[in-house]
Structures are given as structure tokens and as C-alpha cells.
Amino acid sequence: MKNLKEISLNSIEGFKIGHAQDKEHGTGCSVIICDKKAICGVDVRGGGPASRETELLNPTMSNDGINALLLGGGSAYGLDAAGGIMKYLEEKGMGVQVGDSVVPIVVGSCIFDLSCGSSSVRPDALMGYQACVD
């Protein structure tokens, strides 16, 4: 192997990475915010994918990029964290301009972790917002 240089995720220009978690209940979420829209693709696999807005990543859609990516726990419940991410991005004026408002494009996927801690505590809009602030 040639000399591989280790870099910090936070050193990658154009992206901000944040995280929020509930250690007591064993769940959390991470967000990658794109300074400029990022062109993305997806390959959804598995029998029960907990995903949000992945159809926008189909090349036949009119989407020209995403504002943020959510990766979380909580199974399908954890997708609620995207609402907090949208609120944060809307406050920053990031998203698709629609009249007098913006609609942030937030794509997300969550893993099944309901049996790791408390199944009644999952990432929600507040946790998603906190991940953005982080």
C-alpha cells in the first residue's frame, strides 16, 4: 500500500458534518450539510429500507442536488429527524426557492437500532436540528 494520508472528515471543504445522540437510550443521528447542492445517487437494498426522498436521486427526476444527508438510527421513526434538518436549513435560506420560501432537499436513511437501547426513544426533529447546530 502506498502512503495513505489520514484526514479529518471536517477538513473536506464544502461540507459540514454534525451529530446528536442520546447515549442513555442508544440512538442518534448524523447530518452532512452541503454548502452548495451536491449531486448524489443511491442504490436502495434490503427488505425494509427506512429512507426519505431517495426517489429524488433517480437520474430521471428534476432534482439538481441535495442540501443535506441524514444518517440515523430509530428505524423508520428516525426519519423524523429530517424535519429538524429542514427547519435549520430553511432558517439559513438553503433549499429550492418556492415563492417566498425555500424547501430544503434532505435525503435520509436510518438503520434499525430499536433493540439496542430503548425502542421508544428515537431521533426526532429536535435531534436533527441539534445535529445541524453541532
Side-chain angles (χ1 to χ4, degrees), residues 6-105:
E6 184 176 321
I7 63 169
S8 165
L9 280 176
N10 292 323
S11 70
I12 301 172
E13 293 182 19
F15 299 93
K16 294 177 181 67
I17 302 168
H19 180 74
Q21 64 187 349
D22 183 327
K23 288 184 181 181
E24 179 183 348
H25 296 101
T27 195
C29 66
S30 296
V31 61
I32 300 171
I33 298 174
C34 313
D35 291 342
K36 297 178 183 175
K37 284 188 171 181
I39 305 300
C40 299
V42 68
D43 181 15
V44 178
R45 296 181 185 209
S51 58
R52 172 193 166 102
E53 301 284 26
T54 54
E55 273 302 306
L56 287 175
L57 304 181
N58 183 319
T60 64
M61 297 296 157
S62 64
N63 180 42
D64 63 349
I66 68 169
N67 299 107
L69 172 68
L70 161 69
L71 300 171
S75 190
Y77 295 107
L79 296 171
D80 286 345
I85 297 167
M86 288 186 71
K87 181 179 188 309
Y88 178 88
L89 294 174
E90 179 183 32
E91 291 171 358
K92 305 294 182 201
M94 296 175 69
V96 176
Q97 193 69 41
V98 180
D100 292 338
S101 63
V102 295
V103 178
I105 305 300

